[in-house]
Amino acid sequence: METIVSLIVFGPLIGAAIAGLFGQKLGNVPSQAVTTGFLFLSAILSWYVFSQWTWHHLEAFTVTLAPFIHVGDFISNWSIRIDALSVTMLVVVNTVSALVHLYSWGYMAEDPHKPRFFAYLSLFTFAMLALVTAADFMQLFFGWEGVGLASYLLIGFWFHKPTANAASIKAFVVNRVGDFGFALGIMTTYWAFGTIQFAELFPLIAEGASRTWEFAGAHWKLVDLACALLFVGAMGKSAQFFLHTWLPDAMEGPTPVSALIHAATMVTAGVYMVCLLSPMFEYAPIAKDIVTIVGAVTALFAATVGLTQNDIKRVIAYSTCSQLGYMFFAAGVGAYEAAMFHLFTHAFFKALLFLGAGSVIHGMHHEQDMRRYGALWKLLPVTYAVMTIGTIAITGLGIPEVFGFAGFYSKDTIIESAFAWGAENSVGDFAGYIGLLVAGLTAFYSWRVAFFTFHGHKRWGEHDDHAHGHDDHAAHAHDDHGHGHDHKPHESPWVMLVPIILLAVGAVFAGFVFAPYFVGHHENEFWRGAIFSGPENHVLEHAHHSPAWVIWAPLVASITGLLVAAYMYLWKEGLGARLAARKGPFYLFSYNKWFFDELYDATFVRLARILGDFFWKVGDKKIIDGLGPDGVAWLSGKLGKLTGRLQTGYVYHYAFVMLLGVLGLVSYALWAWGS
């Protein structure tokens, strides 16, 4: 088993090294085959390990591969940790990544830099695998920064586009803000408990939970402080409120990148980290409340913004942001199992929606504006079918106690857990009601995408002045106005359709099959200590006995959102466009993403520019250069000119100076002799 898990983790790295270093010599097809082959091998082995854990009761173990950092008492080893959390993430990461690799054979067919693209994909996968199998904070941080680097490379893959370069830099910079908090959280943990090894750290938490730090006249609980700082890192990586602004801009990368990074892998790293650190968060009530509130607000914010966006990928990106909010407030109320379950099911239907959107974009000759779609269901029948499945899954349609698609089981469990926690803490009720409202909003904007894209009258033959974006390929000769959409839309090749069909199967059955293991009657057998619940945490148990109105309310909200979307975009087609044309205050507030970009530009960006100009023009040029090299050069020049005047060229001047020197020397000698 140790050899198998090592191959799972390092297989993608081997593929990335071969394609990245030798891709130009090997050529496109061998590079694609090597990277994709290693990913499918890792995915198959991941499912094998997952099955051994789920049905054959494999015990948790850690494989220590090599020393990483040993400095005094600070010890970090490169390890592979296998438990319920890591095997779940191995399945999620490798399955989605393998299917994205296969999908990219078709989507990137005309791109001239395929070896580089596939090398980046595999490098990203390796970094994510290093993160989820870490046995200490140091390796976790290595993977954390590795996925950040790979996402920067992938978002800016089409570097000839200024918007792609700007988006990759924005993602990198915003994540640095979160990572600063994450690093401080790791330092605080080591300072408080003297170790970063999870196996050593977690047993120490209960005994040391009361430790405080006196600062600014107050006593700060160290566990709360550490967890709050660690959550700042999760806010950046998982695009939570205040640090979310990079996520929609990241849609400038190729669509397979959007599916891999923003659907199932990197953006879920924060959720995974909070669940992994449940032994710490269970003793940090203030930090848990922060997680709950930020998660609920993020879910609401992103859902409201998704209502009015017209770029198909951006709508799905905001949907991801909103669903991550669900996961975080689930963890915040103590239902870590429900958070991981939603992470698991979300991987299937969100990757399906992103890749389905890529299929639409491919069929529409790289047009991304939904206002230039319409009536595509007959021309893209397979894409239409699977995206409808994904829409049903994300909106959580299902009949309680009977059957539902994947999102039905995980989302409803989260809402029920929030209300169960609300019996003890009003923050839980806040999150629960937000979750119900967001369920209705999610249904509306998700069905809006489906109806706007596949139904109504066709708009792709029209030449209008709508602003629209493009998933532009370097090899495609599309102009800046996207006139490629004049060609008749077409279905994608099977190499793109097979992955989304497989994801559609997961979107239908993943919730029904795995609910008993993640949050049901096999829950304790599955998690087996990988998630810690404090002695007073009975949230999930109480959630299973929720009142009828809590059980049925999410379904009512989802159906309401569906009916409103059908009314606006099917029965009264054009109503949405007329409402948008009025440009009311709510529409502008939503369409402009709560004006966060403008606010950050007016404060942080301009302030940084003002400070930069000040330090450059005043601090650097006038003070440092003025008193340093420029000042010394000026003074040397002045002294040179003054001393140059002494060089007259007349002998009697030099003789006079020599006489003065002799007189001075004799005078000094007489004075010294007399003393």
Side-chain angles (χ1 to χ4, degrees), residues 475-491:
H476 286 286
H478 296 296
D479 60 36
D480 291 336
H481 301 288
H483 290 157
H485 72 279
D486 284 338
H487 301 296
K488 187 175 181 180
H490 58 83
E491 186 61 278

Side-chain angles (χ1 to χ4, degrees), residues 2 4 11 195 275 341 349 389 405 414-415 518 574 580 602:
E2 293 182 2
I4 291 175
T195 182
C275 294
F341 186 32
F349 57 72
I389 290 173
F405 283 27
I414 289 175
I415 294 174
F518 282 84

Side-chain angles (χ1 to χ4, degrees), residues 376-505:
L376 293 177
W377 71 275
K378 288 184 179 179
L379 299 172
L380 286 71
V382 178
T383 302
Y384 169 61
V386 295
M387 285 199 72
T388 301
I389 290 173
T391 303
I392 294 173
I394 194 174
T395 57
L397 288 181
I399 301 175
E401 306 297 333
V402 180
F403 180 76
F405 283 27
F408 165 75
Y409 294 92
S410 54
K411 175 177 64 66
D412 284 22
T413 304
I414 289 175
I415 294 174
E416 292 164 9
S417 299
F419 282 114
W421 179 245
E424 303 178 21
N425 189 327
S426 59
V427 173
D429 281 334
F430 168 76
Y433 286 114
I434 292 291
L436 286 177
L437 175 59
V438 172
L441 298 177
T442 301
F444 174 81
Y445 67 67
S446 297
W447 287 109
R448 172 178 178 261
V449 171
F451 298 148
F452 219 14
T453 301
F454 296 104
H455 295 279
H457 73 282
K458 75 179 185 72
R459 300 178 296 277
W460 38 269
E462 302 173 2
H463 292 280
D464 53 34
D465 295 325
H466 288 154
H468 50 278
H470 304 282
D471 200 355
D472 186 23
H473 287 59
H476 286 286
H478 296 296
D479 60 36
D480 291 336
H481 301 288
H483 290 157
H485 72 279
D486 284 338
H487 301 296
K488 187 175 181 180
H490 58 83
E491 186 61 278
S492 298
W494 280 104
V495 73
M496 293 173 62
L497 295 178
V498 168
I500 57 179
I501 291 172
L502 293 175
L503 289 169
V505 174

Side-chain angles (χ1 to χ4, degrees), residues 522-537:
H522 295 305
E523 165 206 334
N524 293 329
E525 297 176 15
F526 180 80
W527 294 112
R528 298 206 288 280
I531 287 177
F532 174 78
S533 295
E536 299 179 357
N537 184 349

Side-chain angles (χ1 to χ4, degrees), residues 263-282:
T265 51
M266 188 182 89
V267 292
T268 62
V271 179
Y272 165 79
M273 185 264 288
V274 172
C275 294
L276 173 67
L277 302 182
S278 57
M280 294 179 63
F281 277 88
E282 282 295 275

